[in-house]
Amino acid sequence: GVCTALDNVEARLYVDQRCLFYRLPMLESGTLGTKGNTQVVVPHLTENYGATRDPPEKSIPICTLKNFPNQIQHTLQWARDWFEGEFKQAAEEVNSYLVSSTEQYMDSLQPNSKLETLRLVRRTLVDERPTSFEDCVTWARLTFEKLFNNQIRQLLHNFPPDQVTSSGTKFWSGSKRCPKVLQFDIDEKDPDAGMRNHLDFCMAAANLRAAMFGIKGNFDEAYFRKVLQDIIVPDFTPAEGVKIAANDAEEEKSGGDAPMGDNTDAEANDILASLPKPSELAGFRLSSIDFDKDIDDHMLFVTACSNLRALNYTIPCEDTHRSRAIAGRIIPAIATTTALVTGVICLELYKIVGTARKELTLEAYKNGFVNLAIPFMTLSEPTAPAKTKSVLKGKEWNWTAWDSLDMNLGNITMGEFMDHFEREYNLEISMLSYGVSILYSFFANKKKVEERKAMKMTDVIFSISKKEFPPNQLFIILEVIANDKETDEEVDLPYVKFRFG
């Protein structure tokens, strides 16, 4: 069996799937500050870890993030989203354009976001493409002006500080904080976190931009001061007719009313014509940057960006250390909770490894939940696995996620596989698939079906997926849809574990 000590849900789900496949017990435990839990997973006796999921965390409303933040958590999430869009998604979209033909790329775009995506590609690849590190510094300074000055001025133009709603109450009241415009000051140092947010933003943004375009960067403060003082920032005048959602309902409505039609297609074609042809940029690619809270350069940008946004809305700033904890949702571990959870899960370990001569029932095992802050502790019986009722070979079969149809026949042909399935289970296969690849379906081209039936199972899969099997792989997981040959009714089946090696 497996006793886990993992720190994220994705890793737990992966180990859970492996234990499910090999039918091994798993002892799962975790802590979150003063809270702790243990879960025992026993083949065929309890449900597996992934059978039930926690409800998704409540997300921050988009309108709050975009225009009306009131907590540092809001500004940090906004900074992370901006990082993702500018340094990851923009690079991925440009690369997608460069590796595809024009027709393929246009076909891959979603109709409601096609125009916005093409504007992003043109802005990244043409309008704001840097050729030197100085260009990156200039871009960072102009981005500062756009995010923390121009956008706020536009917001205050749409919703002036003295605006009242239709009910007569002040628009800027309650959770809506009236923002203020930031003027760039290279020597600024905020009193809350003691950080030089203006300079830090420019330094971090310029270096990330340079990394994205394969340009060598630097963090020399004297160089930045020299370049920044010579940058000419264009004047900005708030525009008329710009729509800004005042609440979540308006934001949702505006998101669903994306412009479509001839004008959109015409502008999309114009943008496409203005882009350099992929053949003109052969070999040129951008480096997509994934945010990692443990990389100091990434956190410097997110912290400075978040703090500048916080200064716009008179929200107390945080330093890099505290911002890292908030952005990464880090809750410090407590030794007492860890010790308690370790003891509880070890009790279940003794039950599994120390009772070889005695078959334990579901009631013998216990899942634990603790919260030392209340204090609270409870032990409960694990949940039995959900059963699916099927009729196989004329008999009723209640199978669970732990079950599979095991076939150890070597690397036979697909035709032999289907014949064996029919003889063994009295079922006629109507569809056979491997992952997202359909190997056989009753409506497929007859000639192609006959060709595949003569091929080895691994050759059929390779011919469709174009991926070689690792030399140490022994099993193939197949999904089957089949009908009873006598009643012609579809039969619910677990996956097929096919051993070919």
Side-chain angles (χ1 to χ4, degrees):
V2 178
C3 188
T4 65
L6 303 168
D7 66 349
N8 62 84
V9 173
E10 289 75 19
R12 287 179 167 94
L13 290 172
Y14 172 77
V15 174
D16 175 60
Q17 287 301 309
R18 296 294 84 202
C19 288
L20 198 63
F21 181 81
Y22 290 106
R23 300 185 181 111
L24 295 172
M26 183 175 90
L27 297 169
E28 202 312 279
S29 59
T31 66
L32 193 70
T34 59
K35 300 175 184 177
N37 75 283
T38 63
Q39 180 179 352
V40 58
V41 176
V42 181
H44 303 290
L45 196 62
T46 72
E47 67 176 7
N48 60 303
Y49 172 80
T52 54
R53 304 284 182 91
D54 291 332
E57 292 184 15
K58 190 175 180 181
S59 60
I60 303 169
I62 295 175
C63 196
T64 300
L65 282 179
K66 288 177 69 174
N67 300 313
F68 310 113
N70 54 70
Q71 298 175 24
I72 196 68
Q73 286 86 346
H74 299 162
T75 64
L76 276 166
Q77 185 63 53
W78 179 84
R80 277 196 61 176
D81 290 347
W82 199 91
F83 183 107
E84 184 93 1
E86 200 63 38
F87 301 121
K88 184 174 186 287
Q89 291 175 3
E92 289 176 349
E93 284 297 338
V94 168
N95 290 342
S96 179
Y97 168 75
L98 293 175
V99 300
S100 312
S101 66
T102 303
E103 294 76 16
Q104 288 175 330
Y105 180 70
M106 292 297 284
D107 289 343
S108 70
L109 298 179
Q110 297 295 325
N112 60 341
S113 61
K114 177 169 67 175
L115 193 57
E116 187 177 339
T117 302
L118 286 170
R119 286 172 180 162
L120 176 65
V121 172
R122 181 176 64 181
R123 179 164 57 83
T124 307
L125 193 58
V126 180
D127 299 342
E128 299 177 357
R129 180 181 171 185
T131 57
S132 66
F133 186 64
E134 188 172 328
D135 290 342
C136 297
V137 178
T138 302
W139 174 85
R141 173 65 183 90
L142 296 180
T143 300
F144 175 99
E145 200 71 15
K146 179 178 75 173
L147 296 179
F148 310 113
N149 186 302
N150 299 350
Q151 287 185 4
I152 300 300
R153 287 167 66 184
Q154 182 67 57
L155 182 62
L156 290 173
H157 177 77
N158 283 44
F159 305 111
D162 57 354
Q163 178 159 325
V164 294
T165 64
S166 56
S167 61
T169 59
K170 285 188 174 183
F171 180 83
W172 295 107
S173 61
S175 63
K176 286 189 173 76
R177 293 171 175 248
C178 186
K180 62 181 181 181
V181 172
L182 294 186
Q183 302 296 338
F184 184 75
D185 179 2
I186 199 168
D187 295 313
E188 179 273 348
K189 193 172 184 179
D190 80 79
D192 297 314
M195 295 191 62
R196 302 178 302 173
N197 294 307
H198 296 228
L199 180 59
D200 287 345
F201 176 86
C202 290
M203 292 175 74
N207 277 277
L208 286 166
R209 185 75 167 179
M212 191 169 118
F213 281 87
I215 298 170
K216 186 179 179 181
N218 77 68
F219 280 89
D220 180 33
E221 185 176 325
Y223 171 82
F224 272 87
R225 287 181 176 276
K226 181 178 181 299
V227 175
L228 286 170
Q229 69 181 6
D230 295 333
I231 296 173
I232 299 172
V233 178
D235 292 332
F236 173 79
T237 303
E240 299 293 339
V242 175
K243 290 185 178 180
I244 298 177
N247 52 52
D248 295 326
E250 287 185 18
E251 181 68 40
E252 189 174 334
K253 185 179 178 182
S254 64
D257 295 339
M260 301 285 285
D262 295 337
N263 291 339
T264 302
D265 290 337
E267 186 178 347
N269 290 330
D270 288 343
I271 293 174
L272 196 64
S274 69
L275 296 175
K277 298 288 185 289
S279 57
E280 298 172 14
L281 296 169
F284 176 77
R285 298 289 183 272
L286 298 186
S287 298
S288 172
I289 303 174
D290 288 298
F291 173 75
D292 186 340
K293 71 180 189 305
D294 296 321
I295 297 178
D296 290 340
D297 291 354
H298 294 190
M299 275 312 305
L300 180 66
F301 172 84
V302 168
T303 303
C305 189
S306 167
N307 283 344
L308 290 167
R309 180 82 164 168
L311 290 169
N312 277 138
Y313 288 88
T314 324
I315 299 169
C317 298
E318 296 287 359
D319 60 19
T320 306
H321 178 72
R322 178 66 183 143
S323 296
R324 195 193 307 271
I326 297 171
R329 297 182 176 89
I330 298 170
I331 297 176
I334 299 175
T336 314
T337 315
T338 306
L340 175 55
V341 165
T342 303
V344 173
I345 202 65
C346 280
L347 290 175
E348 303 306 309
L349 174 65
Y350 298 149
K351 295 174 187 177
I352 291 175
V353 302
T355 52
R357 298 181 183 178
K358 182 180 179 183
E359 188 174 337
L360 296 182
T361 60
L362 186 69
E363 294 78 18
Y365 297 99
K366 293 291 182 285
N367 291 340
F369 304 91
V370 301
N371 188 342
L372 298 180
I374 300 179
F376 168 81
M377 179 173 180
T378 183
L379 298 174
S380 63
E381 292 176 10
T383 305
K387 294 182 178 181
T388 303
K389 182 180 177 180
S390 293
V391 176
L392 202 62
K393 299 181 183 179
K395 297 180 181 178
E396 184 178 306
W397 181 33
N398 293 308
W399 57 272
T400 70
W402 291 101
D403 294 305
S404 63
L405 296 175
D406 297 348
M407 297 178 68
N408 188 5
L409 303 171
N411 195 13
I412 57 176
T413 65
M414 191 174 84
E416 291 170 336
F417 174 90
M418 295 176 69
D419 291 341
H420 174 82
F421 203 86
E422 190 172 327
R423 289 195 307 271
E424 182 71 17
Y425 303 110
N426 199 36
L427 298 174
E428 185 176 358
I429 296 176
S430 58
M431 187 173 291
L432 179 66
S433 61
Y434 170 76
V436 296
S437 303
I438 297 176
L439 309 183
Y440 166 81
S441 63
F442 67 91
F443 53 80
N445 180 281
K446 301 297 182 185
K447 183 180 178 181
K448 186 170 286 187
V449 167
E450 291 305 318
E451 288 177 1
R452 290 181 180 175
K453 279 187 174 182
M455 298 167 64
K456 300 288 187 184
M457 288 294 289
T458 53
D459 295 336
V460 175
I461 294 171
F462 175 73
S463 68
I464 299 171
S465 66
K466 307 300 181 187
K467 292 180 180 178
E468 293 276 6
F469 287 106
N472 59 341
Q473 183 170 336
L474 300 175
F475 294 95
I476 297 173
I477 302 299
L478 300 169
E479 298 289 342
V480 175
I481 297 177
N483 298 332
D484 190 294
K485 288 190 68 178
E486 295 177 2
T487 63
D488 201 35
E489 291 183 358
E490 187 176 312
V491 179
D492 288 323
L493 295 171
Y495 67 88
V496 176
K497 186 193 290 188
F498 177 76
R499 178 163 184 153
F500 66 92

